[in-house]
Amino acid sequence: QVQLVESGGGLVQAGGSLSLSCAASGRTVSNYAMGWFRQAPGNEREFVAGISWRGGSTYYADSVKGRFTIFRDIYENTVTLRMNRLKPEDTAVYYCAADAYGLGSSPVLEEYDHWGQGTQVTVSS
């Protein structure tokens, strides 16, 4: 079984940066595509970024393209979301997810097999 634990969330001013980390345990996720999602109060959970199992392909929601970067370390079993030029509308709980069969590009929640518990990101204006 895979366990995912996110860390790195917090409070930051608009224009600032944060890095979120997702650490996998239980078994390796080196052959899983990985994704980051977020959910703001009253909103549905939405796709933010994804990365293929080898890390060669990355995918981003239009709202974060050019500001966020996803990368992974298959040896450390971690996936990182680097967030720059943060905006108040980026405020949400951010979730890490693992997809055993996908490419990392899917926005469909049901296609992901494992989820973390989430970490809060708050961007003040």
Side-chain angles (χ1 to χ4, degrees), residues 48-76:
V48 175
I51 189 165
S52 60
W53 71 278
R54 284 188 174 181
S57 297
T58 56
Y59 309 90
Y60 299 94
D62 288 342
S63 59
V64 307
K65 203 171 291 183
R67 300 188 297 123
F68 290 11
T69 303
I70 186 172
F71 55 93
R72 68 188 302 170
D73 185 328
I74 61 173
Y75 302 105
E76 295 293 328

Short mmCIF file of all heavy atoms in Angstrom, two decimals, residues 48-76:
data_model
loop_
_atom_site.label_atom_id
_atom_site.label_comp_id
_atom_site.label_asym_id
_atom_site.label_seq_id
_atom_site.Cartn_x
_atom_site.Cartn_y
_atom_site.Cartn_z
N VAL A 48 -3.80 20.59 -10.73
CA VAL A 48 -2.84 21.69 -10.76
C VAL A 48 -1.65 21.36 -11.65
O VAL A 48 -1.30 22.12 -12.55
CB VAL A 48 -2.34 22.03 -9.33
CG1 VAL A 48 -1.25 23.09 -9.38
CG2 VAL A 48 -3.49 22.46 -8.45
N ALA A 49 -1.04 20.20 -11.39
CA ALA A 49 0.14 19.81 -12.15
C ALA A 49 0.32 18.30 -12.05
O ALA A 49 -0.12 17.68 -11.09
CB ALA A 49 1.38 20.52 -11.63
N GLY A 50 0.99 17.74 -13.06
CA GLY A 50 1.25 16.31 -13.05
C GLY A 50 2.57 16.01 -13.71
O GLY A 50 3.11 16.82 -14.47
N ILE A 51 3.10 14.82 -13.40
CA ILE A 51 4.39 14.42 -13.95
C ILE A 51 4.35 12.93 -14.24
O ILE A 51 3.77 12.15 -13.49
CB ILE A 51 5.51 14.79 -12.96
CG1 ILE A 51 6.89 14.58 -13.59
CG2 ILE A 51 5.39 14.03 -11.64
CD1 ILE A 51 8.02 15.25 -12.80
N SER A 52 4.96 12.55 -15.35
CA SER A 52 4.98 11.15 -15.75
C SER A 52 5.90 10.34 -14.83
O SER A 52 6.68 10.89 -14.06
CB SER A 52 5.46 11.03 -17.19
OG SER A 52 6.77 11.56 -17.31
N TRP A 53 5.79 9.04 -14.94
CA TRP A 53 6.51 8.20 -13.99
C TRP A 53 8.02 8.33 -14.10
O TRP A 53 8.74 8.18 -13.12
CB TRP A 53 6.07 6.74 -14.11
CG TRP A 53 6.50 6.04 -15.35
CD1 TRP A 53 5.90 6.08 -16.57
CD2 TRP A 53 7.62 5.16 -15.49
NE1 TRP A 53 6.58 5.29 -17.46
CE2 TRP A 53 7.63 4.71 -16.83
CE3 TRP A 53 8.61 4.69 -14.62
CZ2 TRP A 53 8.59 3.82 -17.31
CZ3 TRP A 53 9.56 3.81 -15.10
CH2 TRP A 53 9.54 3.40 -16.44
N ARG A 54 8.51 8.66 -15.28
CA ARG A 54 9.94 8.88 -15.41
C ARG A 54 10.33 10.33 -15.22
O ARG A 54 11.52 10.66 -15.20
CB ARG A 54 10.41 8.41 -16.79
CG ARG A 54 10.51 6.92 -16.92
CD ARG A 54 11.16 6.54 -18.24
NE ARG A 54 11.40 5.11 -18.36
CZ ARG A 54 11.97 4.54 -19.42
NH1 ARG A 54 12.37 5.28 -20.43
NH2 ARG A 54 12.16 3.24 -19.44
N GLY A 55 9.33 11.19 -15.14
CA GLY A 55 9.62 12.61 -14.97
C GLY A 55 9.89 13.34 -16.26
O GLY A 55 10.19 14.53 -16.24
N GLY A 56 9.75 12.65 -17.39
CA GLY A 56 10.08 13.29 -18.65
C GLY A 56 9.00 14.20 -19.19
O GLY A 56 9.27 15.04 -20.05
N SER A 57 7.79 14.02 -18.69
CA SER A 57 6.68 14.86 -19.16
C SER A 57 5.98 15.50 -17.97
O SER A 57 5.75 14.84 -16.96
CB SER A 57 5.66 14.00 -19.93
OG SER A 57 6.25 13.46 -21.10
N THR A 58 5.67 16.76 -18.12
CA THR A 58 4.96 17.49 -17.08
C THR A 58 3.75 18.19 -17.67
O THR A 58 3.72 18.51 -18.87
CB THR A 58 5.86 18.53 -16.39
OG1 THR A 58 6.39 19.42 -17.39
CG2 THR A 58 7.00 17.86 -15.66
N TYR A 59 2.76 18.42 -16.84
CA TYR A 59 1.49 18.99 -17.28
C TYR A 59 1.02 20.00 -16.23
O TYR A 59 1.22 19.79 -15.04
CB TYR A 59 0.45 17.88 -17.42
CG TYR A 59 0.92 16.72 -18.26
CD1 TYR A 59 1.56 15.64 -17.67
CD2 TYR A 59 0.75 16.71 -19.64
CE1 TYR A 59 2.03 14.58 -18.42
CE2 TYR A 59 1.21 15.64 -20.40
CZ TYR A 59 1.85 14.59 -19.78
OH TYR A 59 2.31 13.53 -20.54
N TYR A 60 0.41 21.08 -16.71
CA TYR A 60 0.00 22.14 -15.82
C TYR A 60 -1.38 22.67 -16.19
O TYR A 60 -1.73 22.75 -17.37
CB TYR A 60 0.99 23.30 -15.86
CG TYR A 60 2.38 22.92 -15.42
CD1 TYR A 60 3.34 22.54 -16.34
CD2 TYR A 60 2.71 22.93 -14.06
CE1 TYR A 60 4.61 22.16 -15.94
CE2 TYR A 60 3.99 22.56 -13.65
CZ TYR A 60 4.92 22.18 -14.59
OH TYR A 60 6.18 21.81 -14.17
N ALA A 61 -2.12 23.05 -15.18
CA ALA A 61 -3.35 23.79 -15.43
C ALA A 61 -2.98 25.16 -15.97
O ALA A 61 -1.93 25.72 -15.62
CB ALA A 61 -4.15 23.94 -14.13
N ASP A 62 -3.83 25.71 -16.81
CA ASP A 62 -3.55 27.02 -17.40
C ASP A 62 -3.34 28.09 -16.33
O ASP A 62 -2.55 29.01 -16.51
CB ASP A 62 -4.69 27.43 -18.33
CG ASP A 62 -4.71 26.61 -19.61
OD1 ASP A 62 -3.69 25.98 -19.93
OD2 ASP A 62 -5.76 26.62 -20.29
N SER A 63 -4.04 27.95 -15.22
CA SER A 63 -3.99 28.97 -14.18
C SER A 63 -2.64 29.04 -13.47
O SER A 63 -2.34 30.05 -12.82
CB SER A 63 -5.09 28.72 -13.15
OG SER A 63 -4.94 27.43 -12.57
N VAL A 64 -1.83 28.00 -13.60
CA VAL A 64 -0.54 27.99 -12.89
C VAL A 64 0.64 27.90 -13.85
O VAL A 64 1.80 27.98 -13.41
CB VAL A 64 -0.45 26.83 -11.87
CG1 VAL A 64 -1.65 26.87 -10.93
CG2 VAL A 64 -0.35 25.48 -12.57
N LYS A 65 0.37 27.74 -15.12
CA LYS A 65 1.44 27.57 -16.10
C LYS A 65 2.37 28.78 -16.08
O LYS A 65 1.92 29.93 -16.08
CB LYS A 65 0.82 27.37 -17.49
CG LYS A 65 1.70 26.66 -18.47
CD LYS A 65 0.91 26.33 -19.73
CE LYS A 65 -0.13 25.27 -19.47
NZ LYS A 65 -0.86 24.87 -20.70
N GLY A 66 3.66 28.50 -16.02
CA GLY A 66 4.63 29.59 -15.97
C GLY A 66 4.97 30.04 -14.56
O GLY A 66 5.95 30.78 -14.36
N ARG A 67 4.18 29.63 -13.59
CA ARG A 67 4.45 30.01 -12.19
C ARG A 67 4.82 28.81 -11.33
O ARG A 67 5.60 28.94 -10.39
CB ARG A 67 3.21 30.69 -11.59
CG ARG A 67 2.79 31.96 -12.30
CD ARG A 67 1.68 32.68 -11.54
NE ARG A 67 0.46 31.88 -11.44
CZ ARG A 67 -0.12 31.54 -10.29
NH1 ARG A 67 0.43 31.90 -9.14
NH2 ARG A 67 -1.23 30.82 -10.29
N PHE A 68 4.24 27.65 -11.63
CA PHE A 68 4.47 26.45 -10.84
C PHE A 68 5.34 25.48 -11.64
O PHE A 68 5.24 25.40 -12.86
CB PHE A 68 3.16 25.75 -10.50
CG PHE A 68 2.27 26.48 -9.52
CD1 PHE A 68 2.52 27.79 -9.14
CD2 PHE A 68 1.18 25.84 -8.97
CE1 PHE A 68 1.70 28.45 -8.23
CE2 PHE A 68 0.33 26.47 -8.06
CZ PHE A 68 0.61 27.78 -7.70
N THR A 69 6.13 24.71 -10.91
CA THR A 69 6.97 23.68 -11.52
C THR A 69 6.86 22.41 -10.70
O THR A 69 7.00 22.45 -9.46
CB THR A 69 8.43 24.12 -11.59
OG1 THR A 69 8.54 25.36 -12.29
CG2 THR A 69 9.27 23.07 -12.31
N ILE A 70 6.63 21.30 -11.37
CA ILE A 70 6.59 20.01 -10.70
C ILE A 70 7.81 19.20 -11.10
O ILE A 70 8.23 19.22 -12.26
CB ILE A 70 5.28 19.25 -11.04
CG1 ILE A 70 5.18 17.96 -10.22
CG2 ILE A 70 5.17 18.96 -12.53
CD1 ILE A 70 3.81 17.25 -10.37
N PHE A 71 8.41 18.53 -10.14
CA PHE A 71 9.52 17.64 -10.44
C PHE A 71 9.54 16.53 -9.39
O PHE A 71 8.91 16.64 -8.33
CB PHE A 71 10.84 18.39 -10.51
CG PHE A 71 11.20 19.20 -9.30
CD1 PHE A 71 11.99 18.68 -8.29
CD2 PHE A 71 10.76 20.52 -9.17
CE1 PHE A 71 12.32 19.43 -7.18
CE2 PHE A 71 11.10 21.28 -8.06
CZ PHE A 71 11.88 20.74 -7.06
N ARG A 72 10.28 15.48 -9.72
CA ARG A 72 10.28 14.33 -8.82
C ARG A 72 11.68 13.77 -8.67
O ARG A 72 12.54 13.94 -9.54
CB ARG A 72 9.35 13.24 -9.35
CG ARG A 72 9.78 12.56 -10.62
CD ARG A 72 8.68 11.64 -11.15
NE ARG A 72 8.29 10.62 -10.18
CZ ARG A 72 7.23 9.83 -10.31
NH1 ARG A 72 6.45 9.96 -11.35
NH2 ARG A 72 6.96 8.91 -9.40
N ASP A 73 11.88 13.08 -7.56
CA ASP A 73 13.12 12.37 -7.30
C ASP A 73 12.72 10.92 -7.07
O ASP A 73 12.19 10.58 -6.01
CB ASP A 73 13.81 12.96 -6.06
CG ASP A 73 15.17 12.34 -5.82
OD1 ASP A 73 15.37 11.14 -6.14
OD2 ASP A 73 16.05 13.04 -5.30
N ILE A 74 12.99 10.08 -8.07
CA ILE A 74 12.52 8.70 -7.96
C ILE A 74 13.32 7.92 -6.93
O ILE A 74 12.83 6.92 -6.38
CB ILE A 74 12.57 7.98 -9.32
CG1 ILE A 74 14.00 7.92 -9.86
CG2 ILE A 74 11.64 8.66 -10.31
CD1 ILE A 74 14.12 7.09 -11.12
N TYR A 75 14.52 8.35 -6.62
CA TYR A 75 15.33 7.66 -5.62
C TYR A 75 14.88 8.00 -4.21
O TYR A 75 14.89 7.15 -3.32
CB TYR A 75 16.80 7.98 -5.82
CG TYR A 75 17.28 7.62 -7.20
CD1 TYR A 75 17.51 8.59 -8.17
CD2 TYR A 75 17.46 6.28 -7.56
CE1 TYR A 75 17.93 8.25 -9.44
CE2 TYR A 75 17.87 5.94 -8.83
CZ TYR A 75 18.09 6.92 -9.77
OH TYR A 75 18.48 6.58 -11.03
N GLU A 76 14.49 9.27 -4.02
CA GLU A 76 13.99 9.70 -2.72
C GLU A 76 12.50 9.45 -2.57
O GLU A 76 11.96 9.62 -1.48
CB GLU A 76 14.29 11.19 -2.51
CG GLU A 76 15.76 11.52 -2.44
CD GLU A 76 16.42 10.94 -1.20
OE1 GLU A 76 15.74 10.83 -0.15
OE2 GLU A 76 17.61 10.59 -1.27
#
